[in-house]
């Protein structure tokens, strides 16, 4: 029996991507639009040293504040990654700022963005859009890697063991998860897993899984799925159970999203 359970967990781990961002990118559309000025942008490529080339990347997750004092704007874009519907966006700090020396892989990308702005070329708008999307993914990846917060989803994704269980829930929300399976994926005892998960993420594994399922379910509704279909896709046993949990979480029924969309 023990051997069977061990093999089951190993097979499950093999089928998981262990990619911290894939589930979010699949569930919440990442879009970027070029801006001519900093006032309406939340992704800024700037030069703060008067060096004549980009020195820093600034991603303001929730609000735009214009150009920082003394900085020269090299390029700007308005990025949307699901807004408040996306738990990952909610977990990020208000502002992410990286220098090109911290992330040298960014330099080539931002220089290409600037070049596409300076010289008009066929398909330049599409190129800038795609490059800005890649830059945002790299910035979020960096934020996870360096652990920019002490607690919450980002801290869980940065944790050397917990991230595996979080990714499992993200990748397979409809799976019949239990604490033993999740703790085994994380390589911890049941008690240790519960304690560390709650301390790091800020809520119990069960509460987090329900929250993720509901966020994902809301995204499914916004994309046009029925309440019944969304409930099944994210792991609820019935549309009624999904609707009750949805109402408790968001303060309105899932059917209201459908009527607003229509």
């Amino acid at each position: 029996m023990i051997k069977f359970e061990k093999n089951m967990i190993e097979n499950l781990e093999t089928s998981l991507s262990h990619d911290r961002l894939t589930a979010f990118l699949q569930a919440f559309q990442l879009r970027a639009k070029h801006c001519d000025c900093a006032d309406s942008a939340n992704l800024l490529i700037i030069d703060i040293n008067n060096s004549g080339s980009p020195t820093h990347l600034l991603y303001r997750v929730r609000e735009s504040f214009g150009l920082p004092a003394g900085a020269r704007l090299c390029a700007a874009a308005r990025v949307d990654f699901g807004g408040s519907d996306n738990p990952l966006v909610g977990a990020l700090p208000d502002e992410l700022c990286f220098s090109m020396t911290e992330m040298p892989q960014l330099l080539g990308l931002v220089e290409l963005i600037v070049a596409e702005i300076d010289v008009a070329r066929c398909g330049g708008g599409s190129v800038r859009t795609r490059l800005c999307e890649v830059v945002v993914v790299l910035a979020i990846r960096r934020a996870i890697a360096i652990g920019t917060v002490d607690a919450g989803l980002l801290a869980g994704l940065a944790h050397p063991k917990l991230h595996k269980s979080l990714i499992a829930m993200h990748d397979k929300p409809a799976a019949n998860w239990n604490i033993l399976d999740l703790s085994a994926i994380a390589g911890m005892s049941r008690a240790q897993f519960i304690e560390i998960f709650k301390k790091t993420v800020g809520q119990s594994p069960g509460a987090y899984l329900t929250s993720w399922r509901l966020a994902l379910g809301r995204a499914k509704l916004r994309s046009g799925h029925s309440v019944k279909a969304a409930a099944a896709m994210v792991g609820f046993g019935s549309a009624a159970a999904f609707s009750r949990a949805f109402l408790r979480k968001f303060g309105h029924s899932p059917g209201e999203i459908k009527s607003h969309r229509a």
Side-chain angles (χ1 to χ4, degrees):
M1 185 65 169
I2 294 175
K3 183 177 181 181
F4 172 77
E5 290 179 351
K6 182 175 182 293
N7 289 338
M8 180 177 68
I9 294 299
E10 287 176 348
N11 290 337
L12 179 59
E13 283 192 288
T14 300
S15 68
L16 296 172
S17 69
H18 286 224
D19 186 318
R20 294 168 172 86
L21 292 178
T22 292
F24 296 100
L25 290 166
Q26 290 176 343
F28 305 97
Q29 186 176 8
L30 174 60
R31 293 170 293 187
K33 182 179 180 181
H34 171 73
C35 297
D36 292 323
C37 66
D39 292 341
S40 58
N42 60 353
L43 179 68
L44 305 177
I45 298 170
I46 56 178
D47 173 12
I48 65 172
N49 299 326
N50 293 317
S51 65
S53 61
T55 61
H56 288 75
L57 172 74
L58 183 61
Y59 176 36
R60 289 165 171 161
V61 178
R62 277 167 279 280
E63 295 183 48
S64 303
F65 303 107
L67 194 64
R72 181 182 68 87
L73 183 65
C74 301
R78 183 73 196 175
V79 175
D80 177 30
F81 192 11
S84 60
D85 286 354
N86 186 346
L88 182 61
V89 171
L92 290 170
D94 289 339
E95 183 175 291
L96 298 175
C97 185
F98 303 112
S99 72
M100 295 300 116
T101 55
E102 290 176 32
M103 298 182 67
Q105 70 271 32
L106 276 179
L107 185 57
L109 291 174
V110 301
E111 286 181 339
L112 185 54
I113 293 172
V114 173
E116 289 293 328
I117 294 171
D118 290 342
V119 180
R121 297 183 178 90
C122 295
S126 295
V127 170
R128 292 195 301 270
T129 294
R130 298 297 176 265
L131 288 174
C132 286
E133 291 168 359
V134 172
V135 165
V136 169
V137 172
L138 291 177
I140 295 174
R141 181 194 293 175
R142 174 69 174 172
I144 293 172
I146 63 177
T148 56
V149 293
D150 295 327
L153 173 57
L154 215 63
L157 290 172
H159 193 280
K161 291 186 175 181
L162 284 184
H163 79 273
K164 294 182 180 180
S165 62
L166 283 166
I167 292 168
M169 289 187 270
H170 293 160
D171 285 352
K172 298 181 181 295
N176 187 25
W177 293 115
N178 59 61
I179 294 297
L180 287 177
D181 289 342
L182 293 170
S183 60
I185 290 172
M188 300 180 185
S189 69
R190 183 181 186 278
Q192 182 188 35
F193 174 71
I194 293 173
E195 179 184 358
I196 294 177
F197 192 102
K198 190 169 184 178
K199 180 179 179 181
T200 304
V201 180
Q203 55 186 321
S204 70
Y208 178 79
L209 177 58
T210 297
S211 180
W212 168 244
R213 284 172 168 169
L214 290 170
L216 196 56
R218 183 164 60 174
K220 299 293 185 186
L221 292 171
R222 292 198 194 282
S223 66
H225 290 90
S226 68
V227 174
K228 183 178 180 180
M233 293 168 76
V234 300
F236 279 85
S238 67
F242 173 67
S243 296
R244 288 193 297 271
F246 194 98
L247 179 60
R248 286 194 299 270
K249 173 74 173 178
F250 301 118
H252 59 85
S253 71
E256 292 183 50
I257 289 182
K258 297 294 292 180
S259 62
H260 288 168
R261 187 177 183 276

